[in-house]
Amino acid sequence: MKALKLEKRKATAPKAPKAEIGQPMLGRDILVRALEREGVEVIFAYPGGASMEIHQALTRSTIRTILPRHEQGGSFAAEGYARATGKAGVCMATSGPGATNLVTALADAYMDSVPLVAITGQVPQAMIGKGGFQETDFFGMTLPVVKHSYLITDVNDIPRIVKEAFYIATSGRPGPVVIDFPKNLQISKTQPVWPKEIHLRGYDPDKKADDLALNEIIGLIAKAERPVLYCGGGIITGNAAPELLQFAEATGIPVTTTIMGCGAFPETHPLSMRWLGMHGSATANWAVSGEFKQRKSLDEPMVKIKPGADLLLAFGVRFDDRVTGKVEEFCKTGTIVHVDIDQSEHNKNRKVHLAIESDIKYALGRLNEMVRKRPMPKKFPAWQAQIEEWKQRAPFHYEVNEEVAQSEHMRDHLQGRESEVILPQMAIEMLYELTKGEALITTGVGQHQMWAGQYYKYSSPRQFITSAGLGAMGFGYPAAMGVKVACPDRQVVDIDGDGSFLMNVQELATAHIEKIAAKALILNNQHLGMVVQWEDSFYEGNRGNTYLGDPEHRRRIYPDYVAMARSFNVPAERVMYKKDLRTAMQKMLDSDQPYVLDVICPYTEHVIPFIPAGRTVADMIY
């Protein structure tokens, strides 16, 4: 009888969909057709000897091929596209040096959980391991900074590998995947078999919290007096921003984000405390760890003035060192709940009291259902009042202080016109005003990146696109190109520093030729501003190779970004005086072309608040 039932069950089991068999074609054409089948619209690709066959196939494809002027620029652009859309960005390079130029973007995508598929040409299989021209073991060298790697060894595997690569890159915790493609297989012919489904043994990205654990969160909220929602980039990559907003409003719990999470919760919302960490808001830092008497040295004890969170709901975060500072003091007295889709992040940097492995959208959706059935009896009015007092006492702020007034910038450029000085924060505030807070913002890395986070308020996910974990200078403008390609009807502005912008300035050529109207607002202080700030703070202002101008002509702005941009046929303007800034910025925003606005600022400004690395809230300068 049991055997009969088993046979019946087998007979009625759903059949796996049959694979589709295509017409015979070359490996290069199979790859491109596989990309088309995955819905790829654009690829950022620089040709070379080991990848030119694929470029030949792309000339007959519906996929838009954008030629960057450097492989790193192309890979950052692919990242920008991915971050703006949530879809996998695709870049391609030839073997050897072309491939190695992709490594920084792979590491960046790995750190920030960005879906990226990087395709590289490889020398013919017979030459692998023999030190041939432009051969590198790209599969091996990228293993630490990718979610998965493929070296194609059989032309018949191409359809499966491409489908798996996109599935791996975009599912679970997103990340970069490498496909290394030997040249001899690119010109081998076979009949492709297109798989309908993917089943990877041992890989289960669909994680869902059980209701028992989620009910425990509800119970902890009911007991709490000072809860805080601490949310990161996982909210954005998990498309959970609507659920987060609903949960925060239903419970009355104040929200802070990481810089990766900017836009996950509207920063103009009354419950928003903006972002926390080294240069985050004083309010958010106090709300998590408590307000302490500001100490002058590490020898002094930490004296608490007001308590911080007694419950920290850490959703889609990884307790990065730039957020926690001295990790043992981060929310030292609170109960910490950590919900993340990646179990390896649990208790990695900060020990927590309740770790839940789950897709964050699912977890927040279920929590919202639970709160609907059993509304919270309190909305924490006393805690919200305390947070409002902190907000009023310690907002993000700046001023033209004595250091700015006595600076070399003032002497060289603004003598007698000191009131016309442009501080970098002013320029970002004006950009926020003129764009009504609706632009998509990318950044390089440094002080300007922090000010872009502080003085532009983000109201939606995927609005602030920055290299957060890796901190890759040169990211801003190529990423802006990728964002603009993804969102052609949106205003896209790269807020950049002069040091960062120069690292991939060649992409102005790409923007002009491809008619990608991404704008660049350069906050030009002629220095590596963030390193200068640390030199001032820890090295008594001794300059260790942080001046970027021409030391023999210090009064001259060097390099001349306006002349450089115009050499690429990209319109540009320089602004030195505050009276000219609004008109110049509006002109940039009104342009239907790529555009560079070079805003000259003093280098004496520091980003505050500032919690030095490895220190605590008691050491915060604000």
Side-chain angles (χ1 to χ4, degrees):
M1 190 67 177
K2 284 182 181 176
L4 186 63
K5 283 183 179 175
L6 186 61
E7 281 303 313
K8 197 170 183 180
R9 200 156 49 235
K10 279 183 181 176
T12 56
K15 291 183 179 178
K18 286 186 178 179
E20 178 189 336
I21 300 174
Q23 294 297 313
M25 58 179 84
L26 297 177
R28 67 186 190 186
D29 299 305
I30 296 172
L31 177 80
V32 171
R33 183 72 190 102
L35 295 177
E36 291 171 349
R37 292 171 72 97
E38 291 302 315
V40 174
E41 299 167 330
V42 61
I43 182 171
F44 299 88
Y46 201 98
S51 65
M52 60 190 299
E53 293 289 344
I54 305 169
H55 279 265
Q56 289 297 308
L58 283 167
T59 64
R60 297 181 290 276
S61 172
T62 56
I63 297 171
R64 179 183 180 187
T65 303
I66 292 177
L67 172 67
R69 272 26 182 201
H70 190 287
E71 293 92 348
Q72 186 183 92
S75 52
F76 281 158
E79 265 203 275
Y81 179 93
R83 290 173 187 249
T85 62
K87 299 190 288 188
V90 186
C91 57
M92 186 168 71
T94 191
S95 63
T100 59
N101 281 337
L102 303 180
V103 172
T104 301
L106 289 170
D108 188 62
Y110 186 72
M111 289 283 280
D112 287 353
S113 304
V114 178
L116 184 70
V117 174
I119 301 164
T120 51
Q122 183 54 279
V123 298
Q125 285 172 295
M127 296 297 297
I128 291 175
K130 296 184 178 180
F133 178 67
Q134 291 192 334
E135 184 203 351
T136 55
D137 178 10
F138 196 63
F139 178 96
M141 73 171 56
T142 56
L143 284 174
V145 292
V146 295
K147 191 174 177 184
H148 198 65
S149 296
Y150 291 96
L151 171 62
I152 301 175
T153 58
D154 186 333
V155 69
N156 294 295
D157 290 339
I158 296 170
R160 173 185 59 81
I161 284 173
V162 172
K163 194 163 189 67
E164 286 181 5
F166 278 82
Y167 175 62
I168 292 169
T170 56
S171 59
R173 181 180 182 174
V177 177
V178 162
I179 301 175
D180 203 21
F181 193 1
K183 186 166 183 178
N184 64 299
L185 296 179
Q186 296 172 27
I187 53 176
S188 298
K189 184 175 273 193
T190 193
Q191 198 167 10
V193 178
W194 306 107
K196 294 287 186 183
E197 292 181 348
I198 288 297
H199 299 286
L200 296 171
R201 189 172 57 185
Y203 179 62
D204 177 20
D206 189 21
K207 307 294 184 183
K208 291 182 178 177
D210 64 65
D211 281 1
L212 191 65
L214 296 176
N215 265 308
E216 197 166 340
I217 294 177
I218 298 295
L220 289 169
I221 295 170
K223 293 176 185 175
E225 297 293 333
R226 300 180 306 279
V228 166
L229 276 160
Y230 153 48
C231 302
I235 299 290
I236 295 172
T237 57
N239 298 312
E243 288 81 2
L244 174 61
L245 178 61
Q246 184 182 341
F247 183 69
E249 290 182 337
T251 58
I253 301 176
V255 181
T256 184
T257 72
T258 64
I259 201 163
M260 270 294 294
C262 283
F265 189 81
E267 295 191 324
T268 52
H269 195 286
L271 288 172
S272 172
M273 298 182 287
R274 308 290 300 278
W275 50 284
L276 81 168
M278 179 178 281
H279 295 296
S281 77
T283 298
N285 286 318
W286 286 331
V288 169
S289 298
E291 182 182 357
F292 289 79
K293 180 183 176 185
Q294 194 173 26
R295 59 182 183 177
K296 300 287 189 292
S297 76
L298 293 176
D299 298 327
E300 294 180 25
M302 293 177 66
V303 180
K304 186 175 283 189
I305 299 170
K306 290 175 182 173
D310 59 359
L311 175 63
L312 186 67
L313 301 177
F315 290 173
V317 297
R318 58 187 185 87
F319 295 90
D320 173 66
D321 64 292
R322 285 296 194 262
V323 165
T324 64
K326 188 176 181 181
V327 71
E328 311 90 79
E329 300 295 333
F330 181 77
C331 194
K332 188 173 184 177
T333 58
T335 298
I336 302 177
V337 177
H338 187 196
V339 181
D340 200 276
I341 198 166
D342 185 355
Q343 194 177 31
S344 72
E345 291 295 345
H346 292 154
N347 297 304
K348 184 174 84 173
N349 294 327
R350 177 70 166 90
K351 294 290 183 184
V352 302
H353 301 88
L354 177 60
I356 300 173
E357 182 185 17
S358 181
D359 171 77
I360 193 63
K361 187 178 182 73
Y362 174 82
L364 276 167
R366 286 294 297 137
L367 286 169
N368 285 327
E369 289 174 24
M370 292 173 180
V371 171
R372 247 192 325 269
K373 290 175 184 174
R374 191 177 74 179
M376 291 285 110
K378 54 186 176 182
K379 291 290 183 72
F380 313 105
W383 180 227
Q384 290 175 7
Q386 174 57 71
I387 286 168
E388 186 58 35
E389 188 268 320
W390 281 331
K391 285 181 182 179
Q392 296 303 318
R393 179 149 54 92
F396 291 129
H397 64 95
Y398 61 90
E399 61 182 350
V400 180
N401 55 27
E402 188 62 24
E403 194 171 11
V404 174
Q406 300 300 322
S407 68
E408 183 180 26
H409 174 76
M410 288 294 210
R411 292 197 307 273
D412 288 350
H413 303 295
L414 291 163
Q415 202 126 34
R417 305 179 71 173
E418 288 81 1
S419 63
E420 289 295 323
V421 68
I422 302 172
L423 297 185
Q425 302 96 316
M426 292 177 186
I428 297 169
E429 279 188 328
M430 186 172 290
L431 181 67
Y432 178 71
E433 176 196 338
L434 293 178
T435 59
K436 299 181 173 60
E438 295 173 354
L440 301 178
I441 302 297
T442 70
T443 75
V445 171
Q447 287 182 313
H448 67 273
Q449 178 188 30
M450 300 297 104
W451 285 319
Q454 291 179 345
Y455 292 96
Y456 203 104
K457 294 177 184 175
Y458 302 94
S459 58
S460 60
R462 307 189 186 280
Q463 190 183 359
F464 183 54
I465 290 169
T466 191
S467 172
L470 189 67
M473 291 176 68
F475 176 84
Y477 194 72
M481 293 195 313
V483 174
K484 186 66 176 178
V485 168
C487 309
D489 298 326
R490 297 288 297 275
Q491 186 75 257
V492 180
V493 182
D494 166 35
I495 298 174
D496 223 326
D498 48 314
S500 252
F501 185 73
L502 188 60
M503 287 194 173
N504 273 312
V505 70
Q506 76 284 339
E507 297 310 322
L508 288 174
T510 309
H512 172 69
I513 298 301
E514 294 286 344
K515 297 180 172 52
I516 303 170
K519 315 294 170 57
L521 172 63
I522 304 175
L523 303 176
N524 189 345
N525 62 11
Q526 298 283 280
H527 287 74
L528 292 171
M530 187 61 85
V531 189
V532 165
Q533 177 168 336
W534 282 53
E535 287 175 338
D536 290 344
S537 300
F538 308 116
Y539 300 94
E540 299 178 338
N542 185 47
R543 299 288 172 249
N545 312 110
T546 47
Y547 177 60
L548 297 176
D550 182 348
E552 294 184 2
H553 303 279
R554 292 182 71 96
R555 290 174 62 93
R556 187 183 302 164
I557 303 301
Y558 179 88
D560 187 340
Y561 283 115
V562 174
M564 195 182 296
R566 288 175 179 166
S567 74
F568 289 111
N569 286 339
V570 171
E573 185 174 355
R574 176 178 296 145
V575 179
M576 183 80 72
Y577 305 118
K578 187 165 62 175
K579 67 179 179 61
D580 301 322
L581 182 60
R582 180 176 294 272
T583 301
M585 192 174 289
Q586 190 61 61
K587 185 178 176 184
M588 174 189 76
L589 295 171
D590 290 342
S591 176
D592 60 358
Q593 302 177 64
Y595 198 103
V596 174
L597 183 60
D598 189 22
V599 179
I600 311 303
C601 308
Y603 71 88
T604 47
E605 277 297 280
H606 285 192
V607 182
I608 55 171
F610 179 31
I611 302 175
R615 306 274 183 90
T616 71
V617 182
D619 308 302
M620 179 170 62
I621 302 162
Y622 62 94

